[in-house]
Amino acid sequence: MLTSEELDLITQSPYKQDFPLLAANPGLAYLDSAATAQRPAAVLDAQRRFYETMNANPLRGLYQLSVEATAAIDAARKHIAGFIGAVDEKGKPQGNQIVFTRNASESLNLVAKTLGAQVLGPGDQVVISIMEHHSNIIPWQQVCAQTGAELVYLRLDDRYEITPQEIEDKIGPRAKIVSVTHVSNVLGVENDVAAIARRAHQMGAYMVVDGAQSVPHVKVDVRQLGCDLLAFSAHKLGGPMGIGVLWGRKDLLDAMPPFLTGGEMIDSVTETGAVWAPVPQKFEAGTQDAAGSYAFDADIAYLEGKGFDALESRERLLARYLCEQLQALPFVDVIGPAEPERHVGAVSFNVRGVHPHDVASILDMSQVCIRAGHHCAQPLLAYLDVENGATCRASVAFYNDKSDVDRLVVALEQVWKIFHGND
Amino acid sequence: MATTDIYNAEFMDHVAHPDYKYQMDDPTYTHEGVNPSCGDELNFSVRMADDGTIDEAAFTGHGCAISQASADIMSDLMVGKTPEEAVRLCKLFGQMVRGEETDDDVLEQLEDATVLKDIAHMPARVKCAELAWRTLEEMLEAHGTTAGGSGTGQASGEA
C-alpha cells in the first residue's frame, strides 16, 4: 500500500490547470490516457502560433517564411531525437533519424511494408508477442501472407511475463524481424525489450519496438533498448493527434525502400524513374502536418520543463494506487500482474458478471471516463480467455490525482449496486 | 456529458429476471445474431400460430445488459404480432435508438421498449440494443414470411 507520504504526493494535481479541458471540467475523472492523453495549453498555443507566425510549406523554401517553417520542423526532429536518446557519441541529437508519420500504427505499417517486404521470404519468421496491439499484428500478418514468411508469437507465462526461455525458444535463426511492444496497452506490463533485442541481434534479426504505451510513461532511450526501429504516437503524451514518429538507425533507414511516394520525397524525377530524397524526407511524401510537428516539439518542452523524471514517478504512484484500490474491491478482478508496481499507466479489470461496456456506460453517468472492450488486442484477450473477450481499462497520466481514482471506486460500487442491489 | 440513466429498475428487472430467456421447444424458426464489437451472441426463436401470427418468442445467448434486456423486452412485444407488424416494429425501434424518430406518439407502439429510447444518446451502444431486433427482422425476411421478404439471408434454418 502507498505510504501516507506517497498519498500526499498524489492528493492534488498541480498540472490539471495546464490542461484546458481538465481545467474546464473539474467534475471529470479522465482515466483513459492510454487511449489518448489530454493536451496542455502549451501544445494548443504552439499549433496556433505556427499558423499565425510561420505558415508556409516547409522544404521548398526560397523565401524567409518557408525557411522558418523548415527550421521549426528540423528543430522538432532534433528535440524528439534527444528525448528518446537518439544521439551520437558526442551526445548530439540525430534529427535525421526521426521520420514523421500520422501515428504509431502508420510507423509500424511503414516498417512492415518496406523493411518487411525487403527482407522476408518463404521460410523466414517474424516474431511478435501475444500482447501486441492490432497495429503490431495485422501489418505483419499481411506481409507474411505476401512473402511466405511465418508469424510466430511469444507467449506469456502465468505471471504475464515473456520468460528468457520463451525468448530463446521462439527467436531462432529463421527470425528476420522481431517486433514487440515495450508496454502492453491492456496489461500495463513492461517487457524486457533489451533482452529480446539482444537475442534478435544474435540471430541476425532486426528489432522493432512499439513504444506507443511506453514513451509517454517511461524514460525511453533507444541506446539502452538496443532496438533498430521505434514507433510511437504524439497524442498519447499530450501532443497533437495525427503526428506519429518512426525512429530508426540511420544506416537501416537509408537501406529501406520508400513507403508512400510523390511530392517532397524525391531529389529528382524523370519519365522513367526517380531518385529518393535523403532520410527522413524519403519517407515523408506530400505536405506534412508541420504545425503538428511543431506543437509536438512544444509538448516535449512542456514535459521536460516539468521534469520527466518527476512526472514518471508520479505516474507510477498513481498507477499503483489505482491497482491497489481496484484489488481492494471484492467484486472486481484485476486482469494482469498482481503486483501493483508492475502496471505502467494502465490497469485492466472486470466487475464480476457485468459486461465491460455496461460498466463503462454506468461510469460515464458519474463522468468517469474509462475504456472498455477488446482494446485492439483481441488475440491477447482470447489467449487469456477473458469472459466476453473484453475488459475495462483505467489508465492514468501525471495530471491525474487521487480523487480521480477515488471517484472511479465510488462509481464501481454504484455499478455493483445496480446489478446486485436486490441480492 | 453524463449519460442518461437507462439502467433503471424497470430495465434491470429485464436483465436480472428475463421472462423470455429460455430454449424453446419446437420453434418454427431460429436465427442467430452476433455483435462482434461486444461479443454479444443471441439465438432467437419463434413459433408461429396457425393464423400466421407469432405465438411464442424466446432467446438464449449472452452479452451485455443492454442486448439482453432489449431481447427480453422485444420478445414480450412480439407475441401476437404478424410478421409484417413485427418487421415494421423492428425498423421503428432502429429509428428510435438511432435518434431518427423521436415522436412519442409514434414510439408508443413500441410499448415497454421505449425504456431504451435514450440509447440514442449512447452511440456506442446502439448495436447492443439493436441486436435482437435485427436478428428477428433478418429471420422473418429470410423465411419470406413478410411481403418484402427476399427469402435469402443468413438464417440458420428451420429447427
Side-chain angles (χ1 to χ4, degrees):
Chain A
M1 299 293 282
L2 267 67
T3 64
S4 60
E5 289 79 16
E6 286 173 330
L7 282 173
D8 282 348
L9 290 170
I10 58 166
T11 298
Q12 282 181 338
S13 172
Y15 307 106
K16 276 188 183 174
Q17 61 188 14
D18 297 339
F19 291 76
L21 187 141
L22 299 176
N25 296 281
L28 194 73
Y30 187 73
L31 294 169
D32 198 20
S33 294
T36 195
Q38 294 299 331
R39 267 144 276 288
V43 167
L44 307 177
D45 293 346
Q47 186 109 8
R48 186 176 181 88
R49 189 163 61 245
F50 180 89
Y51 286 122
E52 284 183 347
T53 67
M54 56 186 87
N55 182 49
N57 204 330
L59 295 182
R60 291 286 169 268
L62 294 173
Y63 50 92
Q64 191 54 36
L65 201 57
S66 177
V67 171
E68 283 170 19
T70 309
I73 303 315
D74 287 345
R77 284 190 216 276
K78 285 202 185 78
H79 198 177
I80 295 163
F83 182 66
I84 59 168
V87 298
D88 66 9
E89 55 282 359
K90 290 176 191 155
K92 194 168 159 246
Q94 301 298 294
N96 59 0
Q97 297 177 358
I98 299 296
V99 177
F100 284 121
T101 61
R102 284 186 305 150
N103 41 51
S105 295
E106 186 173 295
S107 297
L108 291 164
N109 270 273
L110 187 162
V111 175
K113 287 170 173 119
T114 61
L115 181 70
Q118 189 177 36
V119 305
L120 295 171
D124 293 336
Q125 291 179 333
V126 174
V127 183
I128 64 175
S129 86
I130 193 66
M131 66 169 92
E132 300 309 318
H133 187 281
H134 293 166
S135 299
N136 200 25
I137 298 175
I138 304 170
W140 300 114
Q141 288 176 339
Q142 288 184 300
V143 72
C144 283
Q146 283 159 10
T147 60
E150 180 191 359
L151 190 59
V152 175
Y153 286 86
L154 295 160
R155 312 270 170 188
L156 310 179
D157 69 1
D158 54 10
R159 296 191 65 244
Y160 302 92
E161 280 178 11
I162 301 171
T163 63
Q165 189 63 49
E166 178 74 357
I167 293 168
E168 201 183 311
D169 289 349
K170 296 286 176 67
I171 304 174
R174 287 168 62 198
K176 290 289 176 289
I177 296 174
V178 177
S179 187
V180 173
T181 190
H182 190 183
V183 167
S184 161
N185 71 316
V186 177
L187 303 169
V189 293
E190 182 175 352
N191 291 315
D192 189 351
V193 168
I196 299 172
R198 276 194 299 277
R199 176 70 181 176
H201 288 151
Q202 277 166 12
M203 293 295 125
Y206 295 105
M207 181 70 197
V208 186
V209 174
D210 176 357
Q213 297 293 339
S214 63
V215 174
H217 302 296
V218 182
K219 189 69 194 134
V220 167
D221 186 315
V222 292
R223 293 164 300 179
Q224 285 168 14
L225 293 184
C227 57
D228 301 301
L229 295 150
L230 172 76
F232 60 99
S233 289
H235 73 96
K236 291 198 200 286
L237 58 156
M241 288 181 176
I243 294 291
V245 171
L246 175 67
W247 167 82
R249 263 179 30 223
K250 180 66 168 36
D251 58 325
L252 182 56
L253 292 176
D254 284 340
M256 283 159 56
F259 177 43
L260 303 175
T261 55
E264 317 223 10
M265 55 75 67
I266 49 88
D267 266 350
S268 61
V269 183
T270 64
E271 285 193 20
T272 53
V275 176
W276 313 135
V279 168
Q281 281 80 22
K282 180 173 80 174
F283 295 107
E284 297 177 355
T287 296
Q288 302 292 298
D289 183 356
S293 302
Y294 179 72
F296 186 32
D297 186 352
D299 177 46
I300 294 175
Y302 170 84
L303 299 175
E304 289 174 338
K306 298 295 175 188
F308 195 84
D309 291 346
L311 302 183
E312 183 180 344
S313 319
R314 180 184 171 84
E315 285 174 344
R316 289 198 178 271
L317 287 180
L318 285 162
R320 260 177 67 203
Y321 183 68
L322 168 65
C323 188
E324 286 171 0
Q325 293 303 106
L326 290 171
Q327 285 172 331
L329 293 172
F331 51 86
V332 165
D333 295 312
V334 167
I335 293 150
E339 304 93 327
E341 64 277 10
R342 284 184 60 207
H343 290 265
V344 179
V347 183
S348 267
F349 62 95
N350 270 331
V351 177
R352 236 162 265 163
V354 184
H355 195 288
H357 286 174
D358 292 318
V359 176
S361 289
I362 295 169
L363 295 188
D364 184 40
M365 294 174 207
S366 308
Q367 293 195 66
V368 175
C369 310
I370 63 155
R371 173 91 190 258
H374 53 60
H375 313 295
C376 301
Q378 287 183 319
L380 173 65
L381 294 170
Y383 176 70
L384 298 174
D385 198 20
V386 177
E387 191 180 3
N388 298 309
T391 72
C392 305
R393 181 191 68 190
S395 53
V396 292
F398 60 87
Y399 43 66
N400 287 116
D401 57 30
K402 180 176 169 294
S403 75
D404 294 324
V405 177
D406 293 342
R407 293 186 40 213
L408 167 68
V409 169
V410 169
L412 285 171
E413 283 165 344
Q414 179 69 13
V415 170
W416 188 250
K417 211 173 129 203
I418 286 172
F419 274 80
H420 294 275
N422 301 322
D423 286 6
Chain B
M1 254 181 225
T3 313
T4 317
D5 182 8
I6 78 145
Y7 293 86
N8 53 41
E10 185 190 346
F11 172 89
M12 288 309 298
D13 189 50
H14 287 285
V15 178
H17 308 289
D19 292 328
Y20 298 89
K21 187 171 181 175
Y22 59 87
Q23 183 64 53
M24 185 190 296
D25 293 332
D26 202 20
T28 312
Y29 306 122
T30 293
H31 195 76
E32 197 179 339
V34 179
N35 176 9
S37 70
C38 293
D40 299 334
E41 288 175 7
L42 196 75
N43 209 288
F44 198 80
S45 298
V46 294
R47 192 171 54 245
M48 307 303 287
D50 292 341
D51 65 359
T53 59
I54 295 171
D55 189 39
E56 187 179 348
F59 68 99
T60 58
H62 64 88
C64 66
I66 290 177
S67 73
Q68 298 291 297
S70 188
D72 198 52
I73 292 166
M74 183 191 80
S75 302
D76 188 58
L77 178 68
M78 292 304 173
V79 174
K81 300 288 190 293
T82 65
E84 288 78 9
E85 284 172 320
V87 167
R88 194 178 55 76
L89 290 168
C90 288
K91 290 187 194 301
L92 179 59
F93 181 84
Q95 290 168 341
M96 177 182 78
V97 295
R98 288 191 299 271
E100 295 161 9
E101 179 57 74
T102 54
D103 186 341
D104 287 335
D105 292 337
V106 176
L107 297 179
E108 206 176 32
Q109 310 163 66
L110 291 170
E111 300 178 21
D112 287 355
T114 53
V115 72
L116 292 161
K117 187 181 175 188
D118 287 326
I119 294 287
H121 304 300
M122 302 162 72
R125 308 307 302 279
V126 169
K127 280 185 177 169
C128 312
E130 275 192 322
L131 178 61
W133 306 74
R134 274 196 297 109
T135 306
L136 176 64
E137 187 181 339
E138 278 174 20
M139 173 204 286
L140 294 174
E141 295 197 333
H143 287 286
T145 51
T146 61
S150 63
T152 59
Q154 297 180 345
S156 55
E158 293 179 31

